Amino acid sequence: MNIAIQPIRKVLIANRGEIACRIIRTAKNLGIRTVAIFSSADENAQHVQQADEAIFIGPAPSDKSYLVIDHIVQTALKAGADAIHPGYGFLAENANFAEACENAGLIFIGPSSTAITAMGNKSMAKKLMESVDVPLLPGYHGEGQSDQELWTAAQVIGFPVLLKAASGGGGKGMKMVERTEDFTAQLALARQEALSSFKDDTLLIEKYLVAPRHVEVQIFADRYGQCIHLFDRDCSSQRRHQKVLEEAPAPGLSAALQARMQKAAIAAAQAVDYVGAGTIEFLVSADEQFYFMEMNTRLQVEHPVTEMITGQDLVAWQFQVAAGHPLPLQQHQVKLTGHAIEARLCAENPWQDFLPAIGTLHAVNFPQGEGLRADTGVVTGDAVTVYYDPMLAKLIAWAPDRQQAIQKLAAALKQTHLVGVKTNIPILIRALEYPDFVVGKMHTQWLGETLPELLAPMNNAPSLEECISVAALFKVLMPQNPSDSLDCYSPWSQLDGWQLNLPATIHLDLTLNQHHYPVSIHPENKGYLLCYQDHSYRCKAKLFQASENLHTLQLEHNGLQRHWTLIEHHQQLDILLDGFHTQVSFAHCHGLEAQGDVADASLSAPMPATLVKQFVASGDRVIKGQILLTLEAMKMQHNILAPYEGEIENCFFAVGDTVEEGALLVEIIAVA
């Protein structure tokens, strides 16, 4: 077969964030120049910084920028690109986008538009799978869409059933119906959601499997008729049909079942003359029966776990196949080594029904080491906005076996810093350490069913005394002159008369979890005596500075010595320990300077909001109770009042600015 090789010298990446950065990394390794596109919200984003060129594509909303097909195609042509890589999400599975690229003479790094169309419609895909004997769940995917026709089909299938949008994905337009009396109401909801999300209210019905596993097979095909698999992945750890933890290979499957699924996956891809990377997703019952669910005609979010067990770069494979080269390896040459697990790190608040979180990232740090990989599109200082997916990063761990991979990933998450917004890191750690997951007893409902336990207070959570001690002693040990640069700040390890230069008692006002704690610290020969409310106790501490705002505090409290990570920003202190995270703000600080002057005080935003009114400026004198500024959130206004008489030192935001929860708004110098 004679197929012309079309070298790819320059590629436009029709995506953003983590996936764009991932594609750029491989493109650079292959010597391919990269063109990024960016919206007004992404002007300083990492994919813009990393690409060889970056072109403004439109306003922040994705339907005015990253989803405008004609504009993206014309931008690629004007930039002199040979190809477009769609990444995943956005237009990655849009047949019209693939066709527009083809018509413009651009290489679309993905399957043909006809293959996307065939597999993008679930009803059409199921009919196609029937023709090649790929197992299907009992169900209905006919053209008749009247209420009566769907009701009759559901009765034949037998309850419980699952209503699914034929053009859907990501759990949208999907409703489970347990009882006959609920069918009419759930049908209306499924139709409405499908029409809103996909402009198509066509539905299909499947038999609902109780507690199945979600197992997928990675396939790859070229233009020469070769199609191979790169083993399987388990994606059963999901919440509301959104994957949370993924791993490869899928644990606990018999070799016979794996072989049958791999054969079916290749047959499914060949049925549509597929070219490129794709994933065939199956549901697997407890008795090891498997059923075709759908095909994802793109690279998957979870592709790194497959890369880590095979040692292959799937994005490099995409470039090679799209250029007309044959697959780099044949089936017998693909080897599986060890086990890999991936966690999706998202900006969301698990304790508020996983609502997306916005704000500025004050610290972004991932642990490094053998078998660890972090794919991300954010760095310290980046803003998390309301416009795009809340996933900030993927952390992946590889080890010789599954148990070691679990332990490595949990340990790595405990050392990960994504500070400035709420994240799901604590839940990820608890899920990895949950007994059912550890022994491989996962199914698609286990995470949702276990969530109340995962959200419960930690048995080994740090005590209030420890948190207060960490915050107070950080303030005592941290030099008041930021230019001081010592590796260790310790009152008993220095010979500079440190104790003589401080008053005998230091007074602090701390705010922790919205509660106010006046604290007194009394330096002693071998440590400190701390007092707050009716409590008093002794502890020892040493402070180590890793970077300008990142510190480690070694605290010995009640005979237990632990190392805490501290991140300082705008008079706020984030305290982290093994997945535990809390934030402290400081008000009055008396006695930290030799003359006994009063240090600055801070006022913070109680919630994410917009600054709508500002009544003071730097240098203004204010009295206690005076309104300083007004915030607005969720159509409610909140006044920030002066806690005492003083002088405005700094105003950090202007009217119209969006502020995150905990952000320092104003600095006040107290006056007598």
Side-chain angles (χ1 to χ4, degrees):
M1 183 182 297
N2 293 322
I3 295 176
I5 304 299
Q6 298 175 279
I8 299 175
R9 298 182 177 87
K10 192 174 189 180
V11 61
L12 181 140
I13 301 164
N15 220 295
R16 63 174 300 280
E18 170 266 324
I19 183 56
C21 293
R22 166 70 189 90
I23 296 165
I24 290 169
R25 184 168 69 245
T26 289
K28 286 182 179 292
N29 289 340
L30 297 175
I32 298 172
R33 288 186 61 79
T34 55
V35 181
I37 57 176
F38 64 93
S39 72
S40 56
D42 279 339
E43 183 177 1
N44 298 312
Q46 284 306 294
H47 72 281
V48 174
Q49 306 299 319
Q50 294 177 15
D52 295 305
E53 302 172 24
I55 301 173
F56 176 69
I57 200 70
S62 56
D63 62 351
K64 293 179 172 58
S65 51
Y66 294 107
L67 295 177
V68 183
I69 291 175
D70 291 343
H71 192 185
I72 293 173
V73 171
Q74 290 304 311
T75 298
L77 293 173
K78 290 178 181 177
D82 309 299
I84 288 182
H85 196 306
Y88 49 73
F90 287 148
L91 297 170
E93 292 183 285
N94 188 302
N96 293 332
F97 184 45
E99 185 176 15
C101 292
E102 295 162 3
N103 292 340
L106 294 164
I107 299 171
F108 181 75
I109 302 180
S112 67
S113 58
T114 55
I116 295 175
T117 298
M119 285 303 195
N121 184 286
K122 290 182 170 59
S123 294
M124 187 186 301
K126 286 181 180 293
K127 291 176 183 177
L128 196 58
M129 293 305 99
E130 278 184 322
S131 69
V132 292
D133 297 324
V134 174
L136 297 176
L137 276 170
Y140 174 79
H141 45 269
E143 295 180 3
Q145 289 289 305
S146 70
D147 287 7
Q148 185 59 49
E149 286 170 309
L150 294 175
W151 165 249
T152 301
Q155 288 182 304
V156 172
I157 296 166
F159 289 86
V161 298
L162 192 65
L163 302 171
K164 298 175 71 173
S167 300
K172 296 176 181 177
M174 185 182 296
K175 300 293 177 184
M176 194 269 281
V177 188
E178 291 188 83
R179 306 177 304 169
T180 56
E181 54 264 41
D182 296 333
F183 184 82
T184 301
Q186 293 300 312
L187 175 62
L189 288 173
R191 274 192 173 137
Q192 181 181 9
E193 195 171 298
L195 187 62
S196 174
S197 300
F198 311 110
K199 305 297 187 291
D200 180 4
D201 64 356
T202 304
L203 300 178
L204 56 86
I205 308 176
E206 292 177 349
K207 178 68 178 177
Y208 181 78
L209 286 184
V210 177
R213 287 178 61 181
H214 181 150
V215 178
E216 59 191 32
V217 177
Q218 175 73 62
I219 63 94
F220 231 105
D222 63 20
R223 302 182 189 279
Y224 300 85
Q226 299 181 94
C227 184
I228 66 172
H229 69 81
L230 289 94
F231 308 106
D232 48 51
R233 301 184 286 252
D234 189 290
C235 303
S236 302
S237 299
Q238 51 188 253
R239 177 187 160 274
R240 295 180 183 173
H241 309 293
Q242 297 294 317
K243 299 168 186 175
V244 177
L245 298 170
E246 301 109 340
E247 56 184 304
L253 300 182
S254 68
L257 174 60
Q258 289 177 310
R260 296 201 310 272
M261 282 198 299
Q262 291 160 1
K263 181 179 178 182
I266 291 174
Q270 290 177 327
V272 290
D273 296 324
Y274 197 81
V275 173
T279 304
I280 313 297
E281 302 196 346
F282 298 105
L283 290 177
V284 179
S285 63
D287 60 355
E288 290 210 332
Q289 298 301 311
F290 70 95
Y291 307 94
F292 173 83
M293 184 165 54
E294 64 182 358
M295 180 179 190
N296 285 299
T297 54
R298 54 172 168 79
L299 196 67
Q300 291 278 84
V301 176
E302 57 271 22
H303 76 275
V305 293
T306 296
E307 292 184 325
M308 294 189 81
I309 64 168
T310 61
Q312 303 301 315
D313 183 334
L314 298 190
V315 176
W317 281 37
Q318 284 188 299
F319 278 113
Q320 291 173 312
V321 167
H325 295 286
L327 290 174
L329 298 177
Q330 297 181 23
Q331 187 66 71
H332 70 277
Q333 295 174 305
V334 182
K335 304 300 181 184
L336 188 159
T337 305
H339 198 94
I341 305 178
E342 173 182 291
R344 301 189 187 193
L345 282 61
C346 299
E348 58 190 14
N349 189 342
W351 285 271
Q352 290 187 352
D353 199 28
F354 291 85
L355 287 175
I358 63 171
T360 300
L361 294 168
H362 303 301
V364 176
N365 294 297
F366 298 99
Q368 298 181 345
E370 184 178 356
L372 287 178
R373 167 176 165 179
D375 284 12
T376 186
V378 295
V379 296
T380 300
D382 283 352
V384 181
T385 72
V386 298
Y387 298 108
Y388 310 117
D389 187 275
M391 191 175 76
L392 301 177
K394 303 177 305 196
L395 192 60
I396 310 102
W398 176 94
D401 60 52
R402 184 172 186 267
Q403 295 308 311
Q404 292 182 67
I406 291 173
Q407 293 174 352
K408 181 177 287 188
L409 182 55
L413 286 167
K414 293 174 182 178
Q415 300 171 52
T416 296
H417 307 145
L418 285 172
V419 174
V421 297
K422 298 288 186 183
T423 73
N424 63 338
I425 290 177
I427 299 302
L428 294 172
I429 295 169
R430 297 183 194 186
L432 285 165
E433 296 177 342
Y434 194 76
D436 282 354
F437 183 84
V438 171
V439 299
K441 290 184 178 179
M442 300 92 63
H443 53 79
T444 54
Q445 285 87 46
W446 87 268
L447 193 56
E449 293 171 355
T450 310
L451 201 54
E453 294 179 56
L454 302 182
L455 290 170
M458 297 170 58
N459 292 329
N460 61 342
S463 66
L464 176 62
E465 279 190 3
E466 285 182 285
C467 294
I468 289 176
S469 301
V470 168
L473 294 177
F474 168 80
K475 199 67 175 176
V476 170
L477 293 173
M478 185 65 190
Q480 296 306 295
N481 180 1
S483 65
D484 292 344
S485 179
L486 296 174
D487 291 332
C488 177
Y489 305 103
S490 168
W492 53 84
S493 66
Q494 298 181 45
L495 301 177
D496 56 3
W498 175 87
Q499 192 168 357
L500 295 176
N501 292 330
L502 283 176
T505 301
I506 302 162
H507 300 284
L508 300 174
D509 281 350
L510 309 179
T511 300
L512 174 64
N513 295 330
Q514 298 182 338
H515 293 286
H516 178 65
Y517 299 99
V519 182
S520 298
I521 305 102
H522 308 272
E524 298 181 334
N525 288 334
K526 293 186 178 181
Y528 303 90
L529 174 67
L530 276 74
C531 304
Y532 75 94
Q533 296 175 345
D534 296 327
H535 301 270
S536 63
Y537 53 93
R538 288 179 168 83
C539 51
K540 300 177 181 179
K542 294 181 181 180
L543 183 65
F544 304 86
Q545 186 171 16
S547 63
E548 183 177 352
N549 69 337
L550 178 63
H551 313 266
T552 298
L553 186 86
Q554 177 183 302
L555 178 72
E556 183 178 323
H557 176 266
N558 285 338
L560 175 64
Q561 186 180 104
R562 298 204 276 194
H563 289 80
W564 302 67
T565 297
L566 308 177
I567 296 167
E568 184 185 23
H569 57 94
H570 296 314
Q571 297 298 315
Q572 308 292 317
L573 187 67
D574 284 272
I575 300 175
L576 300 93
L577 179 73
D578 293 343
F580 171 84
H581 180 196
T582 192
Q583 189 179 74
V584 173
S585 61
F586 298 98
H588 305 79
C589 303
H590 300 274
L592 277 177
E593 297 176 21
Q595 294 81 11
D597 292 341
V598 178
D600 60 350
S602 65
L603 299 96
S604 304
M607 68 288 189
T610 300
L611 178 58
V612 294
K613 296 178 184 177
Q614 186 163 315
F615 302 100
V616 294
S618 297
D620 288 355
R621 287 288 294 265
V622 296
I623 61 173
K624 183 177 180 180
Q626 180 177 338
I627 299 176
L628 307 178
L629 48 86
T630 301
L631 302 176
E632 184 173 282
M634 303 298 287
K635 300 182 180 180
M636 300 288 289
Q637 291 195 345
H638 179 83
N639 291 327
I640 301 296
L641 309 180
Y644 43 79
E645 185 176 357
E647 181 177 309
I648 301 297
E649 178 75 4
N650 284 299
C651 295
F652 293 104
F653 296 94
V655 171
D657 286 350
T658 299
V659 300
E660 69 217 53
E661 181 180 358
L664 177 67
L665 303 170
V666 178
E667 278 186 311
I668 301 177
I669 299 295
V671 296

